[in-house]
Structures are given as C-alpha cells and as structure tokens.
Amino acid sequence: MNPVTEPTLPGYNFAYLDEQTKRMIRRALLKAVAIPGYQAPFGSREMPLPYGWGTGGIQVTASILGPNDVLKVIDQGADDTTNAVSIRRFFARTAGVRTTEKVAEATVIQTRHRIPEQPLRDHQILVYQVPIPEPLRFMEPRETETRKMHALQEYGVMHVKLYEDIARYGRIAHAYDYPVLVNGRYVMKPSPIPKFDNPKMDRMPALQLFGAGREKRIYAVPPYTSVKSLDFEDYPFEIQRWNQCCALCGAADSFLDEVVIDDRGGRMFVCSDTEYCHSRRAALPRGARESGS
Amino acid sequence: MAYSHAVTAPGFDEPVLQAQQVFRALLTAQSQPGRIVKVDSVATLPPLYPATMALLLTLVDRDTPLWLDLSPSPWEAVSSHLRFHCGCPIVTAPFDAAFAVLSRPEKMPDFSAFSLGSDECPDRSTTLIIQVETLLEHRGRRWAGPGIADARRVHVAELPEHFWRQWRNNHALFPRGVDVIFTQADHLLALPRSVHVAEDN
C-alpha cells in the first residue's frame, strides 16, 4: 500500500496547534533529549479529544511534523482500531501529511502501548502516548517529593515494589509499563507497553519521544541510549513467552494477543502488531496462506 | 534607552513551515550530537550567522529571555529586530537568560555565569548558541554519550582553551548544566550536556 493523502481542513494552522504552543513544546523536547529520561514539564493544551486518548502524543507529533513526513499510528499494535484511525485522520486533515501502515515507509510513528516488531531505523521518530509518566507516583503521590527522589537518584522504593512482587508471587509480576533505567541515571516509565517490548528500547537507532497530556510532561530517549529494565541479580528481567505461534502468520517471535473466538471457550493467539502479521501473511505462498487463516 | 523601530530585515518567508524545518534539523542535531546539519538560509543581521538567526526565530518568544554578547551598535540593531520578530525580552544578566547568543567565543563568560538549572528542575538552564568559524566532522575530539552509537570525532575551531575544561565540569554536573548549539554560516551542531568529550585530540 502506498502512503495515502486526504484533503485538508481549511481554517486550522498546520498540524492544528498554534505556533506559540509548538515553540513551547519544541523547547521542552530539546531539554528532554538533552536529559534522557527526565520528565520535562510543558503547558499541555486542550485538544479536540479527551485526555486518555493520546493528547500528549498528539501534541508532540503536531510539534515535530512537517509536510514531508509520513505518519503511522498504532493502538495496541493495530493500525485499524478507533484511536489509531482517528489520530491518523486528524493529522491527515490538519497537516495534509501522508499516512501509512508500513513501518519502513513511516518517518514518524505515534504509538499507544506497543513498539512495532520490525526494528526501527535512525531517521525515524517513535512518539509514545503516556497516561502516567511518573514511575514513583504510586509509591509517593507528592510531586515535590518525587522530584526530589529523581534529583537524589533515590530509587530504593522502586526496587522494593519489585521485591514485594517476588515475596508475594515468587517472581516479578509486572507485565507492562515495566520501569527502566535510562542512560544509567533516571528511572522512567516506558508507557504501558508490554515488558516484551522493553528490550527494543535499549540502544534503539530511532529517537523515542514520550508525551503525557493530562500530566503535562514530555520525556525522551535519544538514539543508541542504554535503557535497562530494573531487576535483581537472582531474579533477572524476563519477557513473556508463549507456547503458541501466531495462528494467522505463524510468527514465533512476536507479541501475541489471546482472542476469544466463540462462546464455548474457543480461543486463538494472533500477532498484536497487525501490520507485521499482514506482511508476513502476504509473503507466504498462496496455499499456506489459506490453510493458515 | 533609545532604539530604532525600523525593521531592518525580514524574518522567515514561511514562518510555519520554516520554523518546523529548522526545528527538525535541530532535533536531529540534538539527538545525534556531533552530526552537522544544514538549515535553510534566512535573512540575518551581522554579526549573527543565518543559522543563529534561524534558531532564534524558531525557538525564542515572549517566554524566553535572551542574552546577546554583542557590542553596543549591533546589539541595538539585533535586539530591535528580535523584539519585533520574536517578542522576546532581552536581558543584561546572562543568568536570567533561557537562550544566550555568543558571537565571540574567545571572550565568552564562564558557564557559571549562566543558569545551570537545579537538581529538581535541570531543564531550567540556559542554552548557549555559540558562533564559531569552523565545524568539522570525523576529526578532532572524541564525543560519546546518548545519541552516539559508538563515538564521533568533532572539531570546533576558535574556542578558548578553558572551554573544554569547563565542559568537563558541565558534564560532571549532569543532569544540571548548559546545552550548547554551535553555529557556522547555515550549519549547526549540538552538544547537549549528556555528551562526554575526551581530552585528547
């Protein structure tokens, strides 16, 4: 599929936001890149959709996007779910940018809760939608205190949290939004991606930007930056594994969603990254494709 | 203080699109330190390079106090130009500035004259835009850190002796510290505080 263009809406500035807002967000982005993992405050604006629908990610995307960009938007790995479709159309209409579902064609990828299976390259930018940016928030509700804890690198409570999992369940039970240490300095929430995706963040060639609209924070991981998932020597970080392969494309290396297919307990496992699954199926020989689906 | 209201040079021809292009070039530079990027040429006033002017038109506005190291006569012309195009306050104390333009790096003040941010809010530091005569990749000092796959060699000419010694202290202050953007004609190169620069050439 070639990148698509839609007719743009008249009466809006390019990419919806006014220039003053873009400058403010751009300055926050530059600071965020200079201090990897640090949550830079920004004056988040009201957007034409509610908080929780990716307003932070949208404001970051709107501030970096240019007419020559090609935008891909995913929601839980899928290009065709409500959040992804509406954000993609928002930018197609307000910025006139081309949109795509193919990772390789995209220059900017906005994501809710997944990192594409296909490795990203160094000219690409991955924009995450973040609900709660502060990793220490559930242990310490006061912003004044969490700021101090970051300043002093006082991250003991984070390890206690993980240790409590081990004491209670015999393993670290965090499955998503698994805390990471960025560049050996800041503990950061990677947004609610499955911990399966955490290793992809480490020394990723693409620039990673994080936008939290309601919480008014922007943070970043520059290319080739160390991103280490927190763990213990005797309880090392592990990612999810499945006994199944994807029921549609046969992938054994991708993150699988369990899908209920009837009311008699029938279920199947399929790739969460729909574009990865489609491209793998398209590459299969015809006979195999039919028996596979 | 008297200054001329005459606007001596135009700003961007296409403010929205050019600001976006300059910002993306800078974002590339900032996230890949040591990589020289080019920006579209823009009308400027001496002694500011087109790249310096492009950065100011892109980043500076009423929220960002600006400090200029210019001598009195260009100071007035440049200040009045930037007040018109960006609406930014021009400050006389470097410590108050969000951005500082240094056109004479050999005479630049110590980093401690600028805001270094605090441990809680390291983002509240000054960004220095330093004009130099030569920027070269693949030779010179060895840069390493976030955004650099292994190491990059970068040569920045015309910097005073103490600059790199100060840079070592600045890097040691991390996450506090200033960020630097070097400009030369219509090229720029970023040196964020996260980058470690080795001593040897």
Side-chain angles (χ1 to χ4, degrees), chain A residues 13-14 19-20 22-27 29-31 33-36 38-41 63-69 107-108 122-123 125 144 147-148 150-152 183 185-186 203 205 207 209 222-225, chain B residues 15-17 19-21 23-24 26-28 30-32 35 56-64 86 98-99 119-127 145-150 174-175 177 179 181 192-194:
Chain A
N13 188 24
F14 179 82
E19 291 302 298
Q20 159 80 26
K22 285 187 198 168
R23 269 195 301 275
M24 174 267 297
I25 294 175
R26 287 167 180 169
R27 291 192 297 256
L29 284 168
L30 293 172
K31 296 285 188 186
V33 171
I35 318 167
Y38 168 74
Q39 302 162 50
S63 305
I64 62 174
L65 213 57
N68 297 326
D69 277 312
T107 54
V108 177
D122 65 2
H123 66 281
I125 301 178
T144 46
R147 270 197 178 266
K148 218 166 272 169
H150 282 294
L152 300 171
N183 191 32
R185 177 59 182 80
Y186 280 100
R203 298 186 58 80
L207 172 62
L209 304 175
Y224 307 108
T225 301
Chain B
V16 174
L17 298 180
Q20 189 274 336
Q21 285 164 5
F23 171 71
R24 274 294 278 278
L26 175 58
L27 185 64
T28 301
Q30 181 91 336
S31 58
Q32 299 175 38
R35 185 171 151 188
L56 294 174
L57 292 174
T58 301
L59 295 173
V60 167
D61 57 29
R62 61 176 186 242
D63 294 335
T64 53
C86 307
F99 291 91
D119 285 320
E120 281 91 351
C121 301
D123 55 316
R124 293 187 193 165
S125 59
T126 310
T127 299
I148 302 174
D150 177 25
F174 188 90
D179 300 315
I181 306 166
R193 65 193 85 176
S194 55

Side-chain angles (χ1 to χ4, degrees), chain A residues 169-271:
Chain A
Y169 309 109
R171 64 193 167 85
I172 299 175
H174 279 55
Y176 64 95
D177 217 347
Y178 191 103
V180 293
L181 184 69
V182 179
N183 191 32
R185 177 59 182 80
Y186 280 100
V187 166
M188 183 188 96
K189 267 194 157 192
S191 88
I193 57 171
K195 66 177 176 180
F196 179 88
D197 285 341
N198 275 23
K200 296 178 192 166
M201 304 180 82
D202 185 35
R203 298 186 58 80
M204 183 193 276
L207 172 62
Q208 304 174 70
L209 304 175
F210 300 77
R214 177 180 42 211
E215 302 285 325
K216 302 176 171 54
R217 294 291 184 273
I218 283 172
Y219 50 105
V221 177
Y224 307 108
T225 301
S226 128
V227 177
K228 191 181 173 304
S229 303
L230 299 183
D231 60 358
F232 298 97
E233 267 175 33
D234 47 347
Y235 285 89
F237 173 78
E238 284 175 343
I239 60 171
Q240 294 100 327
R241 305 232 172 259
W242 292 264
N243 297 324
Q244 293 83 350
C245 296
C246 170
L248 300 178
C249 76
D253 57 351
S254 76
F255 187 82
L256 300 181
D257 282 338
E258 188 176 1
V259 183
V260 176
I261 48 174
D262 54 36
D263 57 2
R264 294 184 301 278
R267 55 198 59 216
M268 66 196 278
F269 286 84
V270 295
C271 289

